[in-house]
């Protein structure tokens, strides 16, 4: 199921999208935000798949909001203003729906999203032999090379993270946890909580509610539990 967030200050527009979501298989409504400021907090703490974003909103416009995001979910613009279409696509939105739009047009936009997500998943799950065994993280003024097998877990703290490495080393990186989740190899790491990513090969024990990595035990967040357990069982049948 793809988790969706509506960001729109118009109750009627919210109601229409809610109805379309209910009638579309594979989609689930995660929440509704009346403005972009509320949406920032939601995206900071949750991994979502699709946002339905209005442009004209109080406090911060939809396009200005997109520009603040380091990495955004798949974005479908929903607006009455045709003139912003070019700028929207320059920000890599998936589709641009002009109000009022039909259910058929809504489905066309959603299908574009599904194809993009499927393509990304195929790339993430591709042959690990074709991918480098390391990456560079920007820490301070330097880019530091880190082998994936050195990483024990990653702890998210607002706009920066602590990467816990072998031998109790810690690397501080000014990056969001949600962005690192997309950068790290799918087959080697798992998000278990809004604040934690763990190395699958460093897991000593796990249950339905917690994971033991090294000498520490971490709670599995409710919204991450199903995906994590399914993933680890698939990797270790």
């Amino acid at each position: 199921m793809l988790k969706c967030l509506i960001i729109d200050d118009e109750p009627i527009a919210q109601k229409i999208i809610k109805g379309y979501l209910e009638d579309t298989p594979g989609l689930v409504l995660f929440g509704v935000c009346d403005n972009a400021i509320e949406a920032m907090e939601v995206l900071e703490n949750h991994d979502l798949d699709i946002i339905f974003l209005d442009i004209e909103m109080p406090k911060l416009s939809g396009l200005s909001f997109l520009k603040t995001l380091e990495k955004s979910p798949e974005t479908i613009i929903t607006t009455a203003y045709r003139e912003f279409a070019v700028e929207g696509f320059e920000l890599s939105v998936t589709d641009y729906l002009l109000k009022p739009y039909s259910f058929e047009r809504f489905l066309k936009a959603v299908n574009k999203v599904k194809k993009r997500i499927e393509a990304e998943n195929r790339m993430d799950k591709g042959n690990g032999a074709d991918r480098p065994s390391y990456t560079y993280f920007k820490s301070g003024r330097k880019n530091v090379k880190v082998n994936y097998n050195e990483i024990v877990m990653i702890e998210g703290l607002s706009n920066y993270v602590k990467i816990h490495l072998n031998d109790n080393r810690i690397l501080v990186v000014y990056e969001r946890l949600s962005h690192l989740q997309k950068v790290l190899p799918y087959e080697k790491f798992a998000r278990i909580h809004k604040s934690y990513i763990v190395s699958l090969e460093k897991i000593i024990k796990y249950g339905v509610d917690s994971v033991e990595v090294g000498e520490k035990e971490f709670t599995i967040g409710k919204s991450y539990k199903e995906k994590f357990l399914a993933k680890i069982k698939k990797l270790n049948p």
Side-chain angles (χ1 to χ4, degrees):
M1 298 291 285
L2 300 179
K3 293 182 289 186
C4 305
L5 179 69
I6 299 171
I7 310 171
D8 199 313
D9 63 323
E10 299 178 5
I12 293 177
Q14 294 175 2
K15 183 177 180 180
I16 290 172
I17 299 174
K18 285 179 183 178
Y20 285 171
L21 288 176
E22 290 175 357
D23 292 335
T24 306
L27 302 184
V28 61
L29 177 62
F30 181 84
V32 178
C33 295
D34 292 324
N35 58 68
I37 305 301
E38 291 179 11
M40 282 183 178
E41 184 174 355
V42 173
L43 293 179
E44 178 70 30
N45 295 303
H46 301 278
D47 288 321
L48 302 180
D49 300 297
I50 309 173
I51 57 175
F52 294 91
L53 178 66
D54 188 20
I55 289 180
E56 290 294 322
M57 292 185 293
K59 300 182 181 179
L60 186 68
S61 76
L63 294 181
S64 296
F65 165 68
L66 280 181
K67 292 175 183 177
T68 69
L69 301 179
E70 184 74 26
K71 181 73 173 179
S72 66
E74 297 291 335
T75 302
I76 297 175
I77 295 289
T78 60
T79 181
Y81 300 93
R82 184 186 299 273
E83 60 267 28
F84 296 110
V86 173
E87 186 177 0
F89 284 113
E90 287 177 348
L91 292 169
S92 298
V93 303
T94 307
D95 210 341
Y96 195 98
L97 300 181
L98 284 172
K99 300 175 181 177
Y101 47 86
S102 66
F103 181 53
E104 181 181 359
R105 183 64 182 87
F106 175 88
L107 286 178
K108 185 176 180 180
V110 168
N111 286 334
K112 283 186 181 180
V113 169
K114 289 181 177 179
K115 288 180 180 178
R116 285 177 61 155
I117 290 176
E118 288 171 1
E120 289 176 2
N121 287 339
R122 284 195 297 270
M123 289 178 63
D124 287 341
K125 298 176 183 179
N127 186 354
D130 297 333
R131 310 170 75 183
S133 60
Y134 62 88
T135 191
Y136 286 89
F137 293 107
K138 186 172 179 60
S139 182
R141 296 184 178 181
K142 297 182 179 180
N143 292 296
V144 182
K145 181 180 179 180
V146 176
N147 292 316
Y148 293 130
N149 60 12
E150 292 182 278
I151 300 173
V152 177
M153 57 86 65
I154 303 174
E155 179 182 6
L157 298 165
S158 186
N159 289 325
Y160 71 97
V161 300
K162 287 184 177 180
I163 301 178
H164 295 254
L165 304 171
N166 294 337
D167 303 323
N168 296 318
R169 292 173 294 149
I170 295 178
L171 182 66
V172 177
V173 176
Y174 287 89
E175 185 59 85
R176 292 187 178 183
L177 198 67
S178 57
H179 175 68
L180 291 189
Q181 183 182 4
K182 298 179 183 298
V183 172
L184 295 168
Y186 173 87
E187 69 277 6
K188 292 181 179 293
F189 296 90
R191 183 90 175 257
I192 62 165
H193 188 275
K194 67 179 183 179
S195 299
Y196 305 119
I197 292 174
V198 299
S199 167
L200 293 173
E201 67 178 21
K202 298 296 196 302
I203 294 176
I204 297 174
K205 299 177 184 178
Y206 74 90
V208 296
D209 297 311
S210 64
V211 169
E212 187 175 322
V213 182
E215 299 178 352
K216 296 183 178 180
E217 187 173 354
F218 301 94
T219 299
I220 302 174
K222 290 182 180 179
S223 60
Y224 300 92
K225 183 180 298 185
E226 182 178 354
K227 186 178 289 188
F228 167 73
L229 292 175
K231 180 177 183 178
I232 200 166
K233 287 178 181 177
K234 185 176 180 179
L235 293 173
N236 299 277

